[in-house]
Amino acid sequence: MKDKHFNKRVSLSLLNLNKKMSQKTLILGACGQIGTELTLALRALYGEEQIVASDIRKGEEDLVAGGPFEILDATNLHALEEVIMHYEIDTVYLMAAMLSATAEKFPMKAWDLNMNSLFNVLNLAKEKKINRVFWPSSIAVFGPNTAKENTPQHSIMEPSTVYGMSKLAGEGWCQYYHKQYGLDVRSIRYPGLISWKTQPGGGTTDYAVDIFHKALSEGEYQSFLKAETALPMMYMEDAIRATIEIMESASHALKKGQAYNLSAMSFSPEKLALEIQSHIPEFKISYAPDFRQNIADSWPSSVNDTEAQKDWDWAPKFNLELMVKEMLAHLKNE
Ligand code: AKB
């Protein structure tokens, strides 16, 4: 028999569902490596009209034509506020950023983009114009003095790159806005991300995507990192799922404002090449380290994500073997 609160509970959960379905989400940097796949995944989940994609320029056709799309510079507060008010946005995913390698070439531009876009979003949330924020951090918050293996959530944070400094400062501001103003801001420290659908741009971990394209088109690849340089990595499908899961999590243990370590696999160019060779035996790799070697040397080779596992049940699905199999299978069919 139904208890006397049953009907009330059902109508409350329907109310929540309706609310969620009618709440709109804005993605800044929707045409980038993560933004593209995140936009497509969120549209599939909540409906095309609910997800407003935006970027400083147009990206892939299916992304631009597949739902509302706005040309938007995340550092322009006025333009950002207009889009938020126009669409009655509830949640913002701020995926626009300059990554580690490009940021070393354009330090001031990187600082301006990475920090001012974040301040704009945090301040609009403080003014209650939006309710929830996702902001991506990175393994780049760690530095050369941090323990390299299994780096804990709370560790020495002395980044030696412009990108890392901007991410560490951003983490601090997210925590501050959460503590001072009660903002619902959630964050992940992404490792290097590997995807067959979208290309990365300007990162140090980009080799782990380029290598697949070159292995299939030319049968060889010249790595800009040394053979033995191991870094934390993740297949994009896991990263998108983690992003949606942390945003959907109703767990009381979830620490809002904290950027969580997230782990799936760790490998070096040599180890990745060996795995590719198990599918393409004639594939050859050579090494010509450039300025990105210093950046990679300053980062952990693997991170400990026990807190993410405990607080919001995070678990990866893809290891190195599975990721390589998937990447080659999809790219062969391109
Ligand atoms: C980069 O290489 O800059 C990024 C990152 C690890 O945040 N992929």
Side-chain angles (χ1 to χ4, degrees):
M1 205 171 109
K2 290 172 189 169
D3 68 67
K4 61 180 177 161
H5 298 299
F6 180 80
N7 284 338
K8 199 173 166 197
R9 279 207 309 271
V10 169
S11 51
L12 265 181
S13 56
L14 281 178
L15 198 77
N16 282 341
L17 193 71
N18 283 338
K19 210 170 131 212
K20 216 172 212 171
M21 299 297 282
S22 65
Q23 281 168 348
K24 289 219 164 84
T25 292
L26 173 67
I27 302 175
L28 297 164
C31 298
Q33 190 201 17
I34 313 176
T36 302
E37 296 208 26
L38 183 65
T39 304
L40 299 176
L42 289 174
R43 280 181 180 162
L45 205 59
Y46 300 118
E48 285 153 10
E49 289 310 309
Q50 302 309 114
I51 309 301
V52 182
S54 75
D55 209 306
I56 198 147
R57 63 184 70 84
K58 284 187 176 173
E60 284 176 24
E61 183 54 31
D62 57 339
L63 185 124
V64 175
F69 181 86
E70 295 285 338
I71 296 285
L72 182 57
D73 173 357
T75 63
N76 182 336
L77 177 62
H78 182 65
L80 176 61
E81 187 171 352
E82 253 182 28
V83 170
I84 285 175
M85 300 320 270
H86 175 77
Y87 288 96
E88 297 180 9
I89 298 293
D90 173 78
T91 301
V92 171
Y93 288 75
L94 171 49
M95 311 313 284
M98 193 182 285
L99 297 188
S100 57
T102 313
E104 289 306 293
K105 291 184 184 154
F106 307 104
M108 292 300 118
K109 260 190 172 172
W111 188 260
D112 178 45
L113 169 61
N114 295 0
M115 298 312 298
N116 289 334
S117 58
L118 177 60
F119 281 126
N120 286 348
V121 172
L122 291 179
N123 285 327
L124 289 169
K126 184 183 156 196
E127 290 166 19
K128 307 269 182 268
K129 290 182 174 138
I130 46 175
N131 290 316
R132 297 190 320 143
V133 174
F134 178 83
W135 177 78
S137 188
S138 161
I139 52 156
V141 291
F142 300 112
N145 297 326
T146 312
K148 272 212 157 307
E149 303 278 337
N150 204 27
T151 304
Q153 173 73 35
H154 305 283
S155 190
I156 296 175
M157 317 281 279
E158 295 170 359
S160 57
T161 63
V162 175
Y163 174 65
M165 289 191 288
S166 75
K167 288 296 175 190
L168 182 58
E171 284 195 9
W173 282 110
C174 286
Q175 301 233 19
Y176 183 85
Y177 272 69
H178 172 66
K179 285 200 187 106
Q180 294 294 325
Y181 312 117
L183 241 74
D184 184 347
V185 47
R186 305 180 186 199
S187 184
I188 281 171
R189 288 177 185 151
Y190 288 120
L193 298 179
I194 300 148
S195 156
W196 58 271
K197 285 188 199 153
T198 44
Q199 294 267 10
T204 302
T205 56
D206 294 11
Y207 90 86
V209 177
D210 299 342
I211 193 171
F212 287 98
H213 291 272
K214 289 275 163 48
L216 289 167
S217 63
E218 294 168 26
E220 57 184 14
Y221 179 67
Q222 189 175 71
S223 167
F224 56 75
L225 296 184
K226 286 183 193 161
E228 66 280 7
T229 308
L231 291 169
M233 298 279 187
M234 180 175 287
Y235 192 48
M236 187 62 89
E237 199 177 307
D238 269 341
I240 298 295
R241 188 170 51 80
T243 308
I244 296 175
E245 279 177 11
I246 194 175
M247 286 303 275
E248 290 290 302
S249 174
S251 160
H252 293 299
L254 181 86
K255 298 175 193 90
K256 290 180 187 164
Q258 168 172 299
Y260 280 88
N261 275 7
L262 208 62
S263 167
M265 59 187 100
S266 162
F267 58 76
S268 62
E270 190 174 40
K271 203 167 155 194
L272 177 58
L274 271 173
E275 193 53 39
I276 293 175
Q277 279 158 354
S278 73
H279 299 263
I280 311 173
E282 60 283 8
F283 171 62
K284 286 193 174 54
I285 186 160
S286 57
Y287 302 93
D290 65 15
F291 74 101
R292 289 169 281 195
Q293 184 64 45
N294 276 342
I295 303 177
D297 285 342
S298 76
W299 290 350
S301 52
S302 60
V303 296
N304 180 309
D305 66 359
T306 321
E307 280 203 31
Q309 293 173 35
K310 275 201 211 135
D311 292 0
W312 47 282
D313 283 338
W314 159 249
K317 288 195 177 141
F318 290 85
N319 59 17
L320 174 62
E321 292 74 24
L322 201 52
M323 179 274 286
V324 170
K325 205 169 140 211
E326 286 269 318
M327 284 293 285
L328 291 174
H330 285 291
L331 289 174
K332 267 183 203 156
N333 292 333
E334 283 278 277

